[in-house]
């Protein structure tokens, strides 16, 4: 029997932003979903997505980016909008769905600036404070005119007023991650010589005028939170030292809270971290900003485990914590903690599958939570199992997840796994350096089977005869695949040739020592090479294609190359394996 936990007093305590009470210290930050309609209208899918996170106990939800100017201001082709009155009714329905629970909701107002592109802007040239090309986008923008800047200030203010009419509890201005407000604040992207550029005060003028106009239109009691990058990780961009001054200025301008993030498109791995980044690595930024201001600060960045998050709050390093991808993977994060079920949390494993979905113009999806983005059609499981037996062949992630869902539907699953442990490819997958998080998902699946009292038969190969003994209603085949060994290559089956998975699963790295060559620079090959190098093996990687890890998301690929460089692992591309010698 689970009970209400008292372990997380700071995490579950009430907080305040301005005059607004927040039921706990967990914020769901803005993250794109591509669930809106093609014209920017809020949809029922979107509402169901946010409502599930509210039902799961998040204290405050910040919506995905809302366009204040849709012609040149969007970051993606399909983006939710707040620039016209016609969008207010559906925005109001979204607010009403969230407000069925104690959760508060802010609208995030946004303009992409030079981090858009001409394809998104209908073929028009993108705009920015100055004609500075964002190297990650590669398109030169034109500089906004003085009148256009004034018009954008007005658009932010009008959008905030519409959001207030729709019932939002406040707004957040997206001044982080290299978008337009960030571009004005940063000397890296703002080379203007008028009242909106040059000096620090001039670079801060755009965001200051927006804050003041929102307060004028919506009242002093309507909270305005500003998200900003406390370090752009660019040589001539905003550094933590300047961020301290920015924070003080934003408070004086009227901001009610600061959402402290970092990075831009040009320093992408710091903005959307791959799996190898440490939990809470960005918290130091919020901690330092918090020393400069009296308004609340929000920490973000790979926050996953409740014990860790509680410590951040207990030590006064931040006033609130933003759990982004974690709440995609586990919408009930807060609810499970309140009920003392933290051992049932399904943590995000930082695989970037959700980001890959958005970057390829598909709705939000999650590798460990199949319901994410499908909340409308996957609201609950049918209770139609009637105790019937289903044989599940394979105890990897697919088989275990199938067994979990079958049990929830009232079936009697039996899991057959030929090996002596569950997890399948998750077992070697969590062994390379920096991939411990994959073990979180493996352990979650194992705990789910235990919690549901599912019959697990380890070390048993599911032959037709063995399965037939149970007279199953159905059989789910989830046996996985086998490693590819290229045929027709002389020496490829020699005693000095081993499969990468065998190396990863062996505590002694399958006896590999001295010198080794890894054939294939996919994720598995590169990670195996990195692990061997860190164990003292003189290792090199050979790859037929022009680049490493072509199947990986670019963020993962960049981080992987950096780690290989740090480990002094040479990668020889456009080279084909023709023969393996016994030496």
């Amino acid at each position: 029997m689970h009970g209400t936990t008292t372990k997380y007093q700071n995490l579950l305590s009430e907080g305040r932003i301005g005059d607004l009470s927040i039921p706990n210290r967990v914020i769901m930050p803005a993250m794109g979903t591509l669930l809106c309609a093609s014209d920017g209208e809020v949809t029922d899918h979107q509402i169901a997505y946010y409502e599930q996170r509210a039902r799961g106990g998040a204290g405050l939800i910040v919506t995905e980016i809302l366009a204040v100017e849709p012609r040149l201001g969007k970051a993606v082709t399909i983006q939710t909008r707040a620039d016209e009155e016609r969008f207010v009714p559906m925005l109001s329905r979204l607010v009403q769905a969230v407000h069925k629970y104690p959760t508060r909701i802010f609208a995030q107002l946004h303009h992409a600036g030079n981090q858009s592109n001409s394809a998104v802007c209908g073929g028009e040239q993108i705009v920015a404070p100055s004609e500075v090309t964002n190297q990650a986008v590669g398109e030169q923008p034109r500089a906004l005119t003085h009148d256009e800047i004034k018009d954008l200030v007005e658009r932010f203010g009008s959008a905030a007023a519409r959001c207030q009419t729709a019932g939002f509890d406040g707004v957040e201005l997206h001044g982080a991650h290299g978008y337009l407000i960030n571009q004005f604040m940063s000397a890296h992207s703002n080379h203007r010589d008028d009242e909106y550029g040059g000096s620090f005060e001039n670079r801060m003028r755009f965001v200051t005028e927006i804050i003041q106009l929102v307060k004028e239109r919506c009242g002093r009691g309507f909270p305005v939170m500003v998200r900003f990058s406390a370090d752009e990780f660019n040589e001539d961009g905003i550094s933590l030292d300047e961020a301290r001054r920015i924070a003080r200025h934003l408070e004086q301008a009227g901001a009610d809270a600061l959402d402290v993030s970092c990075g831009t498109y040009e320093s992408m791995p710091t903005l959307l971290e791959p799996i190898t980044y440490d939990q809470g690595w960005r918290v130091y930024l919020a901690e330092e900003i918090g020393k400069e201001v009296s308004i609340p600060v929000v920490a973000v960045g790979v926050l996953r485990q409740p014990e860790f998050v509680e410590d951040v709050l207990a030590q006064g390093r931040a006033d609130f914590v933003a759990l982004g991808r974690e709440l995609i993977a586990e919408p009930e994060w807060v609810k499970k903690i309140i009920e003392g079920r933290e051992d049932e949390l399904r943590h995000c494993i930082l695989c970037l599958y959700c980001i890959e979905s958005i970057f390829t113009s598909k709705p939000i999806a999650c590798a460990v939570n199949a319901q994410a983005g499908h909340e409308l059609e996957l609201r609950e499981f049918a209770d139609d199992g009637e105790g019937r037996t289903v044989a599940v062949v394979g105890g990897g992630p697919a088989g275990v997840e199938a067994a979990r869902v079958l049990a929830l539907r009232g079936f009697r699953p039996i899991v057959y796994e030929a090996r002596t442990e569950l997890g399948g490819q998750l077992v070697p997958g969590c062994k390379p350096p920096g991939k411990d998080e994959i073990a979180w998902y493996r352990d979650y699946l194992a705990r789910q089977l235990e919690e549901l009292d599912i019959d697990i038969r380890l070390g048993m190969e599911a032959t037709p005869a063995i399965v037939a003994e149970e007279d199953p209603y159905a059989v789910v085949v989830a046996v996985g695949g086998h490693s590819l060994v290229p045929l027709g290559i002389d020496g490829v089956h020699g005693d000095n040739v081993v499969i990468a998975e065998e190396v990863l699963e062996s505590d002694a790295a399958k006896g590999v020592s001295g010198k080794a060559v890894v054939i294939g620079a996919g994720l598995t090959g590169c990670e195996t090479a990195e692990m061997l190098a860190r164990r003292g093996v003189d290792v090199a990687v050979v790859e037929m294609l022009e680049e490493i890890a072509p199947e990986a998301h670019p963020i993962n690929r960049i981080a992987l190359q950096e780690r290989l460089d740090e480990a002094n692992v040479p990668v020889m591309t456009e080279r084909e394996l023709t023969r393996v010698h016994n030496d």
Side-chain angles (χ1 to χ4, degrees), residues 50-303:
Y50 285 111
E51 183 177 351
Q52 188 180 49
R53 273 86 196 155
R55 189 185 309 119
L60 169 65
I61 289 174
V62 183
T63 68
E64 61 206 89
I65 49 178
L66 302 186
V68 301
E69 197 286 296
R71 187 171 61 89
L72 300 176
K74 293 191 297 183
V76 288
T77 305
I78 301 174
Q79 184 172 322
T80 313
R81 291 168 57 182
D83 61 296
E84 294 180 15
E85 299 300 322
R86 65 187 176 97
F87 297 112
V88 171
M90 286 301 290
L91 287 169
S92 180
R93 283 191 58 191
L94 167 60
V95 171
Q96 291 169 21
V98 169
H99 279 171
K100 287 191 287 187
Y101 311 93
T103 302
R104 308 296 191 175
I105 182 167
F106 283 9
Q108 190 188 68
L109 305 181
H110 165 270
H111 190 295
N114 71 8
Q115 287 188 169
S116 183
N117 61 74
S118 55
V120 171
C121 298
E124 292 192 57
Q125 187 178 11
I126 57 178
V127 295
S130 305
E131 296 178 356
V132 176
T133 300
N134 183 289
Q135 297 306 310
V137 175
E139 292 190 21
Q140 183 177 353
R142 67 171 178 81
L144 288 160
T145 67
H146 185 274
D147 288 345
E148 285 177 320
I149 295 171
K150 291 295 186 183
D151 177 66
L152 285 173
V153 171
E154 171 64 29
R155 286 177 176 272
F156 272 99
S158 298
R162 291 186 195 98
C163 291
Q164 185 182 40
T165 299
F168 281 94
D169 299 296
V171 294
E172 177 174 84
L173 304 179
H174 200 339
H177 305 164
Y179 293 121
L180 185 67
I181 293 176
N182 186 166
Q183 290 162 34
F184 270 98
M185 291 193 290
S186 174
H188 173 70
S189 45
N190 186 347
H191 299 174
R192 301 180 71 92
D193 57 7
D194 63 1
E195 64 185 289
Y196 289 99
S199 69
F200 174 83
E201 289 73 16
N202 284 355
R203 285 186 279 115
M204 294 297 296
R205 191 179 306 279
F206 183 60
V207 67
T208 300
E209 290 182 352
I210 293 172
I211 294 171
Q212 292 173 344
L213 184 59
V214 173
K215 290 293 185 178
E216 178 184 322
R217 295 282 174 83
C218 302
R220 306 303 299 179
F222 188 68
V224 176
M225 184 159 65
V226 180
R227 181 167 234 197
F228 79 107
S229 288
D231 196 331
E232 289 186 288
F233 294 103
N234 288 322
E235 286 187 12
D236 57 347
I238 295 170
S239 65
L240 181 54
D241 284 342
E242 187 175 35
R244 293 186 175 95
R245 188 180 181 189
I246 289 173
R248 295 193 298 269
H249 183 99
L250 291 172
E251 180 179 24
Q252 292 168 1
D256 296 286
L258 299 178
D259 186 353
V260 184
S261 190
C262 66
T264 72
Y265 281 16
E266 293 178 321
S267 54
M268 183 57 80
T270 67
L271 168 55
L272 295 169
E273 305 93 338
I275 194 169
T276 51
Y277 276 58
D278 292 335
Q279 183 171 196
W281 75 275
R282 295 193 213 181
V283 172
Y284 77 98
L285 295 169
E287 183 177 14
E288 292 301 315
I289 294 303
K291 297 174 183 177
E292 304 294 326
V293 296
S294 59
I295 55 177
V297 297
V298 183
V300 68
V302 199
L303 296 169

